[in-house]
Amino acid sequence: MSSRDDYGNTLLREELSYSTREMKNEFEGLRRNLNEEHTRVFEAVMRSVEDSKGGLFFVYGSGGTGKTYLWRTIITALRAQSKIVLAVASSGIASLLLPGGRTAHSQFKIPFKLYDNSTCTVNKKSDLAELICKADLIIWDEAPMINKHALEALERTVTDIMTKDDTVSPKPIFGGKTLLLGGDFRQILPVIQKGSREMIVDSSISRSKLWKHFKIFKLSTNMRLMNADSDDAQQQEIADFGKWVLDVGDGKIPISETKDDSTWIQIPDDLLVKCDNGDYINTIVESTYPSLLERYVDYRSLEERCILAPTNESADQINEHMISLIPGEDHVFRSADSISPETSDFQSKEVFYTNEFLNSLTFSGFPNHEIYLKVGIPIMLLRNLKQSEGLCNGTRLIVTQIAGKVIQAEILTGKGRGKRVFIHRVVLEPSNTGLPIILRRRQFPIKVCFAMTINKSQCQSLPIVGIYLEKPVFSHGQLYVAVSRTTSRQGLKILIKRGEDDPEGYTQNIVYKEIFSNLS
């Protein structure tokens, strides 16, 4: 039996292992707390599943509107009836919030290199194909993050698996399955290397040929307000902050009258961190990590805060500075780099590209050649290692012990929170590098994360966030993602490094408003 068949069998056993009685009791508790907006979605999806005629749904809502709670309620309701739900998300961190969740790419074998005719690598006779056939519902969270070709590849694959008679025409979309997507188009859209605004917007699922078949629901009720144990003044403060965050995402903040570029907006004074001595990095560090030397041994203190920056360069500078502040022995880990034999004209390129050149290469979401570590510093995983234990791309941990070939770390967030795990070196190959070679790097799949990029913070939630704008944001949704990582106005501080001609307190906010044109 192939590894893919084993994988499909594992999924099927997991789906069928849920206790029906426990599911029913859990569902009753969840159902009582659905609001009217949730209930409309819930009833529409349940009708579609019961009718077995298929249907495509998209739920559009910002953070705090209860999307994850809604997914959990629907999943529990159907599994209580012994129905099969495949719950996936576009990122590892988001998938951990779904009962039995996985990343869409791993669940459906979606290729990382996508074209307009791509399909998933699922054998029609495999157990995974059988699982897809038996599934009553597919839920895909954080769907706006993915390229439309991924959604279309899944549609072709599911339709092919479900089609028993090739003479039938037209074939039902998604083979007659019910598909429920959700997410927020204010957030960062699919990443297109060196892509223009038009290319990025066109890559969105809302520009897919399938989009016209989706029924769209909007969630607008802030569940945090409904569940908040606070007085009227505090509730109003939460509401005002939530509105400001949404206005940033929708591009409704009044623009600067002193700038010709209409993307410049003013940040409220109470959110600004002022730097009068020119030491911007130390200023944002002291604002976000006060009393660092006393608190860095407190894992919970590190768990609840992070600095966000638009670029890897800025994040790396902050991390290097903070490592230098932490007492303890330095450990440096250097990667073993080579050119993959799968590179075209491998032998000649192996001679031409030196080890020094390969070591110098850095890519977003990819470990550097040199990693400097100390016991007690936070790190972030850059690859999915063992999702069942919470070890996925984006998981944050604290280094607890360091050896020559292994790192011990404690998980800070998610389902594995508090568990100590071992991290080994793995062989990694970056994608979409633009180079004529395929780099192969053997290194720990981690990055120090006192600071991280805004893109990497998507789907994370933190009580305390410092935003370091050495350079302004450069793509749709970045500022919105940064300011929406925390739910509290008091937990957000922004430091803007001013240019010579820049007015104080102003920064850019890039919003591709055309992305919202067909969401009604």
Side-chain angles (χ1 to χ4, degrees):
M1 183 179 290
S2 71
S3 60
R4 284 183 185 168
D5 288 341
D6 287 338
Y7 177 77
N9 270 329
T10 300
L11 295 179
L12 192 55
R13 284 195 298 271
E14 288 179 1
E15 280 289 337
L16 298 176
S17 67
Y18 285 95
S19 164
T20 301
R21 182 177 300 174
E22 291 176 359
M23 288 287 106
K24 287 180 178 179
N25 291 337
E26 183 180 354
F27 165 66
E28 291 301 327
L30 293 169
R31 179 71 175 84
R32 285 192 292 269
N33 292 321
L34 293 183
N35 62 29
E36 290 184 9
E37 293 175 337
H38 295 149
T39 300
R40 283 195 289 271
V41 179
F42 176 83
E43 292 177 349
V45 172
M46 295 299 286
R47 280 196 302 269
S48 178
V49 171
E50 289 167 6
D51 293 344
S52 300
K53 295 180 179 179
L56 306 184
F57 305 93
F58 181 84
V59 178
Y60 179 35
S62 61
T65 54
K67 293 190 301 296
T68 302
Y69 188 91
L70 176 60
W71 307 154
R72 186 179 168 193
T73 305
I74 293 171
I75 291 168
T76 307
L78 291 173
R79 287 176 176 167
Q81 301 175 26
S82 299
K83 295 185 182 295
I84 295 177
V85 182
L86 299 182
V88 302
S90 298
S91 71
I93 288 294
S95 70
L96 295 180
L97 301 176
L98 301 171
R102 288 177 170 80
T103 62
H105 279 81
S106 65
Q107 177 79 290
F108 298 119
K109 308 298 182 184
I110 300 172
F112 285 98
K113 290 187 177 180
L114 289 162
Y115 306 95
D116 58 6
N117 61 348
S118 293
T119 57
C120 305
T121 54
V122 180
N123 189 312
K124 287 186 72 170
K125 296 183 179 180
S126 68
D127 287 335
L128 178 55
E130 181 184 354
L131 178 66
I132 293 172
C133 278
K134 292 181 177 179
D136 297 279
L137 174 67
I138 296 172
I139 292 181
W140 191 335
D141 195 17
E142 300 293 348
M145 293 174 60
I146 55 100
N147 194 296
K148 67 181 182 183
H149 293 323
L151 177 65
E152 292 167 0
L154 179 61
E155 195 279 329
R156 291 188 193 94
T157 301
V158 173
T159 299
D160 183 49
I161 290 172
M162 295 297 296
T163 300
K164 307 302 181 184
D165 183 357
D166 288 333
T167 64
V168 175
S169 183
K171 298 175 183 177
I173 296 173
F174 274 93
K177 292 287 181 190
T178 299
L179 182 71
L180 175 60
L181 271 55
D184 187 353
F185 282 96
R186 302 178 187 90
Q187 295 195 15
I188 297 165
L189 298 174
V191 176
I192 305 295
Q193 294 292 332
K194 299 181 181 179
S196 65
R197 176 171 178 159
E198 291 75 17
M199 292 169 64
I200 293 171
V201 171
D202 186 61
S203 71
S204 168
I205 58 170
S206 64
R207 296 301 188 270
S208 168
K209 59 187 178 182
L210 300 172
W211 190 251
K212 62 185 178 182
H213 300 288
F214 278 85
K215 179 175 177 57
I216 298 170
F217 294 90
K218 289 188 178 182
L219 302 181
S220 58
T221 303
N222 191 324
M223 299 299 290
R224 291 168 183 155
L225 283 177
M226 295 178 64
N227 298 325
D229 184 16
S230 54
D231 58 32
D232 291 344
Q234 291 172 320
Q235 293 243 345
Q236 187 60 51
E237 185 177 294
I238 295 171
D240 291 343
F241 179 65
K243 182 181 184 303
W244 180 79
V245 170
L246 291 180
D247 285 347
V248 170
D250 291 328
K252 293 180 178 179
I253 300 292
I255 61 175
S256 168
E257 296 179 357
T258 61
K259 279 280 187 179
D260 293 333
D261 189 339
S262 63
T263 62
W264 285 75
I265 65 170
Q266 184 175 17
I267 301 298
D269 285 343
D270 65 302
L271 298 180
L272 289 173
V273 176
K274 303 293 178 63
C275 178
D276 300 323
N277 60 7
D279 191 350
Y280 292 94
I281 288 180
N282 196 55
T283 300
I284 191 63
V285 166
E286 290 182 348
S287 172
T288 312
Y289 294 91
S291 305
L292 176 66
L293 294 183
E294 290 78 25
R295 292 186 176 183
Y296 87 95
V297 293
D298 178 7
Y299 294 173
R300 300 287 77 82
S301 176
L302 294 177
E303 170 193 347
E304 65 184 12
R305 63 193 73 220
C306 193
I307 297 171
L308 309 182
T311 65
N312 275 294
E313 182 182 4
S314 293
D316 288 345
Q317 289 173 353
I318 295 169
N319 286 324
E320 289 170 10
H321 173 74
M322 296 199 69
I323 291 174
S324 70
L325 299 177
I326 301 295
E329 181 184 357
D330 276 315
H331 299 263
V332 58
F333 298 95
R334 295 181 176 89
S335 66
D337 295 343
S338 61
I339 298 176
S340 170
E342 297 178 6
T343 299
S344 61
D345 197 14
F346 165 69
Q347 291 183 337
S348 63
K349 288 177 179 174
E350 187 180 32
V351 174
F352 183 78
Y353 291 96
T354 65
N355 278 339
E356 289 75 12
F357 173 76
L358 299 180
N359 295 163
S360 70
L361 295 175
T362 60
F363 305 101
S364 177
F366 196 71
N368 291 339
H369 166 59
E370 290 186 337
I371 299 176
Y372 290 86
L373 295 178
K374 290 181 180 179
V375 171
I377 69 170
I379 57 174
M380 172 182 286
L381 286 182
L382 300 177
R383 286 294 183 275
N384 295 325
L385 297 182
K386 196 169 184 180
Q387 198 166 348
S388 60
E389 294 186 3
L391 295 175
C392 64
N393 191 346
T395 297
R396 294 190 297 137
L397 311 94
I398 288 285
V399 176
T400 52
Q401 290 189 57
I402 298 174
K405 296 182 179 180
V406 67
I407 298 166
Q408 185 191 64
E410 182 176 315
I411 301 175
L412 284 180
T413 56
K415 67 168 67 174
R417 185 174 181 268
K419 183 176 181 180
R420 295 202 171 185
V421 296
F422 292 101
I423 302 173
H424 301 266
R425 297 177 193 258
V426 297
V427 176
L428 303 153
E429 293 181 358
S431 57
N432 301 321
T433 64
L435 294 171
I437 60 170
I438 300 173
L439 173 66
R440 182 169 284 180
R441 174 165 290 173
R442 188 171 182 270
Q443 180 60 291
F444 291 104
I446 62 172
K447 198 174 186 73
V448 176
C449 74
F450 286 107
M452 69 176 93
T453 62
I454 293 172
N455 286 35
K456 200 68 180 176
S457 75
Q458 191 154 292
C459 305
Q460 305 265 3
S461 182
L462 297 153
I464 300 170
V465 171
I467 302 175
Y468 177 53
L469 298 177
E470 179 188 23
K471 298 176 181 178
V473 298
F474 54 85
S475 185
H476 169 87
Q478 281 187 317
L479 188 61
Y480 170 72
V481 166
V483 300
S484 61
R485 292 313 85 203
T486 182
T487 59
S488 163
R489 193 180 190 98
Q490 292 75 24
L492 177 65
K493 293 297 178 184
I494 303 171
L495 191 153
I496 302 170
K497 186 174 181 179
R498 292 170 55 196
E500 290 184 3
D501 300 325
D502 295 340
E504 186 171 352
Y506 284 82
T507 190
Q508 284 184 288
N509 180 33
I510 311 298
V511 179
Y512 300 162
K513 293 186 178 181
E514 62 270 31
I515 198 67
F516 307 127
S517 62
N518 56 353
L519 298 180
S520 57

